[in-house]
Amino acid sequence: MRQPRSGGWIYGPYVNHNHYAGLMEMLVPIPLIVSLTRLAPPKVRAVACRNRGGDGGETIFLSGSRGAA
């Protein structure tokens, strides 16, 4: 395990939780676009909306980033 030198906490593989939130803000629209358009079959759209879009959006707020949320 690694400890941050200047204190704080590590969120997943990111030492800075703001970086994780920024990445998720860029990735969350992809499954949402798939679920809201006719780019995929109905079952795939339902799974994309339920699993990826919702979970990704929630983790932005759970990461504790002040700039992203």
Side-chain angles (χ1 to χ4, degrees):
M1 303 271 318
R2 295 191 182 253
Q3 293 280 28
R5 283 186 227 150
S6 60
W9 49 281
I10 297 175
Y11 192 81
Y14 298 91
V15 174
N16 187 342
H17 54 275
N18 297 326
H19 294 169
Y20 172 80
L23 172 71
M24 291 310 294
E25 282 185 344
M26 290 187 287
L27 293 179
V28 163
I30 296 170
L32 291 178
I33 289 171
V34 169
S35 66
L36 295 175
T37 61
R38 295 180 188 228
L39 296 174
K43 287 184 179 181
V44 173
R45 288 189 303 197
V47 170
C49 181
R50 230 177 315 151
N51 293 340
R52 298 295 100 213
D55 293 346
E58 292 169 4
T59 62
I60 292 171
F61 296 102
L62 293 175
S63 72
S65 171
R66 291 178 282 164

